[in-house]
């Protein structure tokens, strides 16, 4: 399902002294099956964009096309369930949204709201709980007895159980330990490939953006600063620094290397493997000492 | 949704009213609420109205914004107005259609009562709009000090109040966040029969309570770790300063009260 934003503008508390323009002239398209990363400084409007993707917010100007639905400022949207069913959002710290007595019930809450039968929902719960890396025994526990990391996984499972076509992740790994972080990002990457989901990731981690995203949008003060492939965007190191952003460690290393040795690598490397490969090439050609 | 609420919010501007001592403002409101009830004819209401608008003008708050923000309270005013209009049967009969009878006395009473409401709401919102929650609690704590002798736990009350005030916006944000998260999971808070809507609130309330408990625990730990041992022997960072302006405010209030007393019929 394609999602398209057309000149979206959003103002919080429009018409009061607290008015605040969070988005301005934001346009981009997310074709079906893309892994898109949105990066930007704190307060650049990333989270506001997210809420437009399943019509939690309606633009104050412009249009959002979600599949064949058009959400615009003119009319108040009713019956948004079909949109919300197709676009699942995992909010920041999703563990705060758990409320049921058991993990199973909580996971079933989403699907059952969208009209899935109870048996089917339970079936899905069993399936997704394994996908997020937990065992089935946990289904009968209270979500409030779990550890922070487990709660996070249960919350994510609750969104996955809705079987959305588009999954939107708002810093899904914030506050997790390095291992949990890696596992979770890998899980989303696998899901993305297996189910052919569109994945939209808002993150502060340049490493994650470089590793997983096909496309990247850089937000700056409520506007799209640039959109492109991670490789392109991360090669403009200076510009990113000026926006208060950084580049992945690998890119930084490559830059230091190029500066000190005077040897230019063929491309901007995004992963450790690419970097090793490039350095071996340099070594083979016999440059450097 | 909640961002349009004006009642009870603080609008940080720079004006004479903003710079007044919170104690003076609290005392003022306290007395003002009482003297509003003195008014009972056109002159006294006119005087109070004039005075209220002068206060709004001095506070530099956009009056249109104030009126828009008080729309939710308008219904109460209209309700009381129509109650008086149809039920008070005094004075001359003005209009009659079927069983509906409108008397002059009812019209007058209704107008006065709504005006009284309006005056009270304007003035009290002006207090919260021009005084930060923190200084309101500081002011209250200082005003309540004499009651300490009567074993009233003034410090604890003030502390509780300042913590609650501090967390209102945080909890509001959190409510909105959880609401949105549940809406993304298919919850519907704004349509359907009442029974369904009440049911839909559970997924919002439970996470809110849980996080409030957690927050209380964290806050208590953090306070203890920073050496909080109760009110005994604490010093103050924010000192209230009573200035000439504040004395003048209370003097004006006194004059207003006396004039009202003589003008009332």
């Amino acid at each position: 399902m394609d999602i398209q934003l057309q000149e979206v503008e959003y103002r919080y508390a429009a018409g009061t002294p607290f008015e605040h323009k969070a988005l301005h002239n934001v346009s981009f398209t997310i074709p079906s099956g893309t892994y898109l990363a949105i990066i930007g400084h704190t307060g650049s409007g990333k989270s506001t964009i997210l809420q437009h993707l399943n019509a939690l917010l309606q633009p104050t100007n412009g249009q959002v096309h979600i599949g064949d639905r058009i959400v615009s400022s003119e009319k108040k949207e009713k019956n948004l369930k079909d949109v919300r069913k197709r676009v699942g959002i995992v909010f920041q710290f999703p563990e705060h949204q758990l409320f049921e007595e058991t993990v199973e019930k909580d996971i079933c809450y989403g699907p059952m709201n969208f009209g899935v039968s109870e048996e089917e929902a339970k079936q899905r719960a069993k399936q997704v709980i394994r996908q997020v890396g937990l065992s089935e025994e946990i289904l009968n526990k209270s979500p409030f007895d779990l550890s922070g990391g487990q709660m996070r996984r249960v919350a994510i499972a609750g969104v996955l159980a809705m079987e959305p076509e588009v999954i939107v992740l708002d810093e899904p790994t914030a506050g997790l330990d390095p291992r949990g972080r890696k596992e979770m990002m890998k899980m989303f990457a696998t899901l993305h490939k297996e189910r052919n989901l569109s994945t939209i990731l808002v993150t502060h981690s340049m490493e994650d953006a470089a590793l997983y995203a096909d496309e990247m949008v850089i937000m700056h003060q409520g506007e799209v600063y640039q959109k492109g492939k991670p490789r392109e965007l991360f090669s403009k190191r200076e510009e990113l620094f000026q926006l208060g952003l950084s580049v992945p460690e690998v890119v930084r290393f490559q830059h230091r290397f190029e500066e000190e040795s005077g040897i230019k690598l063929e491309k901007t490397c995004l992963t450790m493997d690419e970097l090793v490969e490039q350095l071996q090439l340099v070594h083979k050609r016999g440059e450097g000492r | 949704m909640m961002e349009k609420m004006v009642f009870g919010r603080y609008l940080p501007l720079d004006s004479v009213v903003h710079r007044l001592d919170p104690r003076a403002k609290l005392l003022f409101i306290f007395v003002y609420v009482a003297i509003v009830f003195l008014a009972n004819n056109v002159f006294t209401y006119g005087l109070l109205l004039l005075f209220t608008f002068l206060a709004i003008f001095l506070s530099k708050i956009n009056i249109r914004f104030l009126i828009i923000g008080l729309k939710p309270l308008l219904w109460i005013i209209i309700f009381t107005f129509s109650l008086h209009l149809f039920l008070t049967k005094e004075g001359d009969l003005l209009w009659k259609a079927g069983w509906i009878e409108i008397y002059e006395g009812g019209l007058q009473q209704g107008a006065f009562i709504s005006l009284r409401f309006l005056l009270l709401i304007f003035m009290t919102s002006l207090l919260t709009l021009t005084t930060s929650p923190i200084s309101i609690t500081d002011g209250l704590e200082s005003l309540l000090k004499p009651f300490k002798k009567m074993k009233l736990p003034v410090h604890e009350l003030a502390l509780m109040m300042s913590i609650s005030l501090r967390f209102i916006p945080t909890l509001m944000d959190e409510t909105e966040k959880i609401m949105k998260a549940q809406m993304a999971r298919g919850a519907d808070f704004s349509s359907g029969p009442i029974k369904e809507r009440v049911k839909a609130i559970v997924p919002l309330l439970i996470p809110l309570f849980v996080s409030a408990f957690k927050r209380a625990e964290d806050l208590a730990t953090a306070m203890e770790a920073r050496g909080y041992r109760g009110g005994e022997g604490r010093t103050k960072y924010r000192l209230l300063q009573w200035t000439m302006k504040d004395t003048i405010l209370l003097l004006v209030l006194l004059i207003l009260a006396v004039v009202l007393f003589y003008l009332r019929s």
Side-chain angles (χ1 to χ4, degrees):
Chain A
M1 187 170 64
D2 296 355
I3 295 183
Q4 193 183 3
L5 287 90
Q6 277 179 359
E7 292 170 12
V8 169
E9 178 203 84
Y10 189 78
R11 296 163 192 267
Y12 283 101
T16 72
F18 306 100
E19 183 173 305
H20 166 66
K21 200 179 198 175
L23 291 181
H24 176 65
N25 198 16
V26 171
S27 306
F28 57 84
T29 311
I30 309 163
S32 202
T34 326
Y35 199 130
L36 175 85
I38 302 178
I39 62 171
H41 211 258
T42 316
S44 57
K46 294 166 294 179
S47 296
T48 311
I49 289 189
L50 287 195
Q51 296 177 35
H52 281 89
L53 301 179
N54 75 348
L56 281 171
L57 292 180
Q58 250 176 281
T60 42
N61 224 333
Q63 290 183 333
V64 184
H65 297 244
I66 307 169
D68 41 19
R69 286 288 289 260
I70 299 175
V71 180
S72 66
S73 58
E74 279 102 49
K75 60 175 186 232
K76 217 167 154 87
E77 288 295 319
K78 285 227 168 108
N79 211 356
L80 290 159
K81 274 203 174 178
D82 61 308
V83 172
R84 304 227 167 107
K85 187 185 164 190
R86 297 170 78 187
V87 184
I89 297 195
V90 177
F91 281 92
Q92 251 176 67
F93 300 102
E95 55 271 30
H96 293 326
Q97 73 194 34
L98 302 174
F99 70 98
E100 280 282 14
E101 295 151 53
T102 63
V103 169
E104 186 180 38
K105 278 189 184 172
D106 203 280
I107 295 176
C108 293
Y109 173 73
M112 280 166 73
N113 272 335
F114 294 120
V116 172
S117 73
E118 198 173 338
E119 289 100 83
E120 163 79 12
K122 281 187 177 167
Q123 208 52 50
R124 285 192 193 176
K126 269 186 202 151
Q127 198 193 333
V128 290
I129 201 78
R130 255 175 282 150
Q131 258 169 357
V132 296
L134 296 172
S135 66
E136 266 180 48
E137 294 137 43
I138 226 168
L139 284 175
N140 295 317
K141 285 195 185 166
S142 159
F144 300 109
D145 290 339
L146 305 178
S147 74
Q150 287 173 320
M151 280 167 90
R152 173 87 49 102
R153 283 160 199 261
V154 169
I156 291 171
V159 175
L160 292 179
M162 290 159 29
E163 301 193 337
E165 294 163 49
V166 178
I167 188 155
V168 181
L169 309 164
D170 193 355
E171 293 186 48
T173 58
L176 289 186
D177 58 65
R179 205 176 121 209
R181 214 172 261 212
K182 221 177 192 171
E183 280 176 14
M184 201 152 278
M185 288 316 295
K186 268 196 181 147
M187 179 195 87
F188 286 125
T190 327
L191 272 172
H192 174 73
K193 267 184 218 131
E194 279 177 2
R195 292 204 192 166
N196 198 25
L197 289 171
S198 308
T199 308
I200 297 142
L201 170 75
V202 166
T203 184
H204 282 293
S205 159
M206 302 300 150
E207 270 76 21
D208 286 345
L211 268 176
Y212 298 107
D214 322 317
E215 288 283 327
M216 211 161 90
V217 167
I218 301 176
M219 293 296 297
H220 184 60
Q221 293 181 348
E223 287 180 79
V224 175
Y225 179 75
Q226 254 169 12
K227 183 183 190 247
K229 303 256 176 241
R231 205 179 296 282
E232 266 168 63
L233 296 185
F234 281 133
S235 60
K236 300 172 189 163
R237 198 167 153 267
E238 297 302 321
E239 274 183 55
L240 285 171
F241 280 137
Q242 264 175 8
L243 297 183
L245 300 170
S246 70
V247 293
E249 200 102 6
V250 180
V251 180
R252 225 174 305 159
F253 178 86
Q254 182 184 349
H255 194 85
R256 274 290 293 281
F257 173 80
E258 286 176 347
E259 232 171 34
E260 287 189 15
S261 66
I263 303 165
K264 266 272 195 218
L265 299 189
E266 279 166 28
K267 60 177 183 184
T268 306
C269 300
L270 293 179
T271 62
M272 200 68 93
D273 291 340
E274 279 180 11
L275 184 69
V276 169
E277 199 182 292
Q278 287 292 318
L279 288 178
Q280 276 171 341
L281 268 177
V282 169
H283 187 70
K284 242 184 239 156
R285 274 186 272 142
E287 294 173 80
R289 287 134 284 164
Chain B
M1 156 192 34
M2 288 173 226
E3 61 202 14
K4 291 233 165 98
M5 272 286 280
V6 171
F7 200 64
R9 272 180 93 154
Y10 172 55
L11 196 62
L13 293 171
D14 185 40
S15 76
V16 195
V17 183
H18 281 80
R19 283 192 299 267
L20 284 167
D21 190 292
R23 282 172 297 183
K25 280 193 266 190
L26 282 166
L27 280 176
F28 173 83
I29 289 289
F30 200 69
V31 178
Y32 182 85
V33 168
I35 64 171
V36 161
F37 290 91
L38 281 176
N40 64 353
N41 58 20
V42 183
F43 297 112
T44 41
Y45 272 112
L47 187 66
L48 277 176
L49 209 59
L50 206 73
F51 187 77
T52 307
F53 279 105
L54 182 72
I56 294 171
F57 172 73
L58 283 178
S59 72
K60 292 188 186 164
I61 283 168
N62 190 345
I63 186 148
R64 257 189 54 219
F65 161 67
L66 202 60
I67 291 169
I68 292 168
L70 295 175
K71 253 186 196 159
L73 298 169
L74 209 63
W75 293 110
I76 306 177
I77 295 173
I78 291 172
F79 178 70
T80 44
F81 179 71
S82 39
L83 262 187
H84 272 281
L85 194 59
F86 297 123
L87 296 179
T88 309
K89 301 199 174 354
E90 278 171 24
D92 305 330
L93 185 68
L94 287 181
W95 192 69
K96 189 176 161 148
W99 54 273
I100 299 171
E101 294 172 329
I102 291 173
Y103 289 89
E104 198 193 340
L107 191 67
Q108 198 196 6
Q109 281 277 334
F112 280 170
I113 295 290
S114 335
L115 204 60
R116 194 178 283 173
F117 251 124
L118 214 66
L119 288 172
L120 286 178
I121 292 168
F122 268 147
M123 231 11 155
T124 42
S125 344
L126 207 60
L127 172 77
T128 54
L129 279 169
T130 61
T131 323
S132 70
I134 281 292
S135 38
I136 291 185
T137 31
D138 281 346
L140 262 184
E141 184 176 4
S142 153
L143 285 176
L144 286 177
K145 234 175 217 159
F147 295 97
K148 227 177 178 171
K149 291 212 176 74
M150 293 158 70
K151 295 267 161 70
L152 190 76
V154 172
H155 169 76
E156 281 75 9
L157 279 178
L159 180 76
M160 262 164 21
M161 207 175 131
S162 66
I163 290 176
S164 353
L165 283 171
R166 157 67 187 78
F167 278 105
I168 288 173
T170 317
L171 279 173
M172 289 266 243
D173 282 352
E174 192 149 331
T175 313
E176 210 175 318
K177 246 191 229 157
I178 296 172
M179 218 164 157
K180 279 183 174 156
Q182 307 297 30
M183 274 159 82
R185 291 210 284 166
D188 192 353
F189 293 105
S190 56
S191 65
I194 289 190
K195 207 180 147 201
E196 291 297 307
R197 272 201 233 186
V198 172
K199 253 192 188 160
I201 291 186
V202 174
L204 175 64
L205 276 189
I206 293 179
L208 261 182
F209 273 108
V210 169
S211 78
F213 284 133
K214 224 187 231 157
R215 183 161 283 138
E217 227 174 277
D218 290 349
L219 185 67
T221 316
M223 280 169 74
E224 255 186 88
R226 294 215 256 161
Y228 179 76
R229 293 278 173 277
E232 241 17 78
R234 284 192 80 194
T235 52
K236 278 196 167 298
Y237 173 64
R238 292 179 306 270
L239 290 175
L240 299 173
Q241 254 175 352
W242 190 276
T243 57
M244 199 57 188
K245 292 192 292 289
D246 306 301
T247 318
I248 291 172
L249 177 75
L250 293 189
L251 276 178
V252 169
L253 182 68
L254 189 73
I255 295 167
L256 184 72
V258 171
V259 173
L260 277 180
F261 196 76
Y262 278 104
L263 279 180
R264 74 191 298 245
S265 48

